[in-house]
Amino acid sequence: DHVALSPDGARVAVAVTDQNYVLLFDVESRREIGRFPHEGTVVAVSISADGRAVATSSRDDPARVFDVATGRATTLDLRGNHRVVTFSPDGREVATAVGDSVRVFTTATGEERARLQFPLEQVYDVTHEGKSLRIMSGSTLGDTVEMIVRRHLRNPQDLIEAACVRVTRNLTPQEWTKY
């Protein structure tokens, strides 16, 4: 997306695609409060829930997370035409979508925390949903387009907790080994 509204509606970020930067505005005062440069055309922008960070992605430049107060950028170790950048609800992680993959990075350091691959599919969107990622992807087989929406838990402990909620009996030793 080339425009992003902060979750509280107080700030709006706009990608100025012909100038290769993002402008951040305070909605109430309509005052510019930040300008974040890229070397290539900006294709995606997101604002953290607390409004203190802006994530951007461009066609031929690494994705970045900018600190709004200082303008300092943390570079995410990736290049490519990322369709999406999106913050986790707590702002500690950023997820990106490009081609057949979703990658999750730590906001503060830019370190990659997870990579999900979807061979033979194109990832179109990713959003944070509580402790999980909601991923929309699709594939084309001849004239047929199949759209798939998945939910991926980001952390193994969350996966274990989700399984325990769904299991209605104790597993046998064989089932524990199998699963």
Side-chain angles (χ1 to χ4, degrees):
D1 293 341
H2 293 81
V3 176
L5 187 64
S6 63
D8 64 1
R11 294 179 174 187
V12 64
V14 179
V16 183
T17 56
D18 63 337
Q19 299 292 317
N20 301 339
Y21 59 82
V22 171
L23 293 174
L24 182 66
F25 293 95
D26 176 84
V27 172
E28 188 174 316
S29 71
R30 298 183 180 188
R31 183 177 60 86
E32 180 183 321
I33 55 177
R35 184 177 294 232
F36 310 109
H38 265 275
E39 301 200 9
T41 302
V42 177
V43 295
V45 62
S46 180
I47 303 172
S48 65
D50 63 8
R52 294 181 182 179
V54 172
T56 62
S57 156
S58 74
R59 284 205 167 96
D60 47 6
D61 206 22
R64 297 180 178 148
V65 177
F66 291 91
D67 180 301
V68 171
T70 66
R72 183 177 82 66
T74 299
T75 301
L76 306 181
D77 182 27
L78 63 124
R79 292 184 183 274
N81 188 6
H82 293 270
R83 297 174 180 270
V84 178
V85 290
T86 182
F87 282 97
S88 61
D90 63 8
R92 293 181 183 171
E93 295 178 338
V94 173
T96 66
V98 64
D100 68 350
S101 69
V102 171
R103 294 170 71 182
V104 179
F105 297 87
T106 302
T107 304
T109 65
E111 174 187 357
E112 185 174 329
R113 298 222 26 214
R115 183 182 302 202
L116 304 168
Q117 295 287 142
F118 303 97
L120 306 176
E121 294 180 29
Q122 179 73 40
V123 177
Y124 295 104
D125 195 21
V126 60
T127 57
H128 288 270
E129 189 175 81
K131 295 180 176 183
S132 66
L133 294 171
R134 182 173 294 272
I135 299 164
M136 184 179 77
S137 63
S139 61
T140 305
L141 299 170
D143 294 336
T144 305
V145 176
E146 180 183 7
M147 296 305 292
I148 303 161
V149 177
R150 295 178 173 88
R151 183 171 173 245
H152 284 273
L153 292 167
R154 295 189 313 257
N155 139 9
Q157 186 59 40
D158 295 335
L159 185 59
I160 291 167
E161 289 174 16
C164 289
V165 167
R166 290 186 175 102
V167 174
T168 58
R169 62 176 176 77
N170 287 333
L171 298 178
T172 67
Q174 293 82 11
E175 289 171 324
W176 275 107
T177 303
K178 183 177 178 179
Y179 303 115

